[in-house]
Amino acid sequence: MRPYIYYDPSITYPAIQEHFSPSQHYPEYPWHDISSKENKIYDTLRNILYEYGLDKENFGRSTWNPFKNFISPGMTVLIKPNMVMHQFDNHVSYDELITHPSIVRAIIDYIYIALNGTGKIIIADAPMQSCNFELLKRNSGYKDIETYFTNKNINIQLLDLRRIYSNFNEFNELQTFNASSDPLGYQKIDLGKFSFHATLDRDSSRFRVTNYPPSMMGTYHTKNIHSYLISNSILSADAVISIPKLKTHRKAGMTGAIKNCVGIVGDKACLPHHSFGSIEEGGDEYLYKNLFKKINTFLNEATDILNYKKCYSIVKLLRKFQNLNIKFINKYKRDNYFEGSWYGNDTISRTSLDLLRILLFSSKDGTIQKYQQRNVLFIVDGIVAGEGEGPLLPTARKAGIIAISDNAIVLDCILATLMGFDPDKIPTIANGLKYINMTKSSIFFKTNYILWKNKNIQSFEFKDTLQFKSSQGWKEKIYIEH
């Protein structure tokens, strides 16, 4: 089916109260709880499932079951939202930071209908290392949803898939702790020559991810090995509904359906986010050679190692030297790029596509198969999206978008275009389109918005788009030409 894009910039999220229940009773609605406050999100999502073409013949009846061809009774269904971080900055709210729980609540109702009182529902993500998951659950509304369905004796779990988490204490020392982890454990899956990294002639010893020592990355990626530690709750699922938050991204340009797959891992150290050094040195951390930037990277890596060893006094000394070194960077730099946060980063794109491949084609025992192994549907939350310095410091953008498709690459191509970005200038999407052998001119979508109807992606002009503001590292390099 063609992707469906809903657009209404006036729509808003409901308040947390009353568990995000609908504000009117629908024939198929399985409960008696009705919100006294208006909930346009529930109404809208219901209509989107219909417009996308799910069980259209039964719409308006008590027998309407939009997920019936996707979910069968007895299945394990996993919902994968974007729960990247708790609210840690007064200028950023949960609305633009994470997948809003009101969308998750409505989807759970329709999963419950499809399961017919059987099976299992899991909500799971692996947020950033420094995310306070309990705080996020409590303050965003996810805990209310979990409690609501648990009180109805629904078999539901809300899981933090990380093996470890960390935070800075009152002395600004990075401390690491064991997280709750996936109760089913993890599997190390090696894509080998089938990795998107294998098609690029780059030394894997250059792979880096912020706040993790390079030696930890080396346990997953070597010359002929490209492996990832994947959650067994993900692998054991018969169906997955991925619900990304639409945002700009400093390293990837934009984040949507593909990038949301990063949250299926248990160890962030397996995720190459950029490659050490400048382009001409074989990396993609920044554009031009710069001795002081290289020193800065070495200092970051040294402090990562020392933080894990709890050598905090040495870390403080290195940080002082690093502050001095930054003055030299600012004086002699030829570009403003750091840690792969720019348009030349082609590492994070390949990592994201690797994880999409695993999500779709890995069997429950961790073997990559020729045919898709589980049903996967992508529903993107862009009611309040994020622009500027996403994914952690985005500026709220009332975009009014909810998008749905079973093809992550095509969906991201559409969404990038609607943001005003050229998909060919975003490595994640450009590499993805080559993989599925598609071009922008072949991509169409359904929509309620008359100005976007019957247009293919290639024909969009910048004036037709929502004209999102990119992050600084992608400025003037990502937009549709205008």
Side-chain angles (χ1 to χ4, degrees), residues 200-253:
L200 187 66
D201 186 19
R202 175 170 288 157
D203 183 356
S204 59
S205 68
R206 289 186 173 274
F207 289 164
R208 299 290 188 271
V209 58
T210 304
N211 292 332
Y212 288 84
S215 60
M216 296 176 69
M217 178 72 69
T219 64
Y220 294 101
H221 297 271
T222 60
K223 184 177 181 180
N224 299 312
I225 295 174
H226 294 289
S227 58
Y228 301 89
L229 193 72
I230 306 299
S231 152
N232 276 332
S233 287
I234 296 287
L235 296 176
S236 66
D238 302 295
V240 173
I241 299 182
S242 177
I243 318 176
K245 169 64 75 171
L246 183 63
K247 289 183 284 188
T248 54
H249 195 287
R250 286 177 173 176
K251 294 192 176 186

Side-chain angles (χ1 to χ4, degrees), residues 25-29 46-47 49-50 54-66 110:
H25 194 282
Y26 293 110
E28 76 280 0
Y29 184 57
R46 180 176 182 269
N47 287 329
L49 297 178
Y50 166 76
L54 301 179
D55 196 23
K56 294 190 77 166
E57 62 273 16
N58 286 312
F59 185 73
R61 303 174 182 171
S62 61
T63 55
W64 188 52
N65 180 3
Y110 288 104

Side-chain angles (χ1 to χ4, degrees), residues 191-202 207 223-224 226 350 354:
L191 291 177
K193 65 180 181 179
F194 298 107
S195 167
F196 282 86
H197 288 296
T199 63
L200 187 66
D201 186 19
R202 175 170 288 157
F207 289 164
K223 184 177 181 180
N224 299 312
H226 294 289
R350 295 171 187 273
D354 274 359

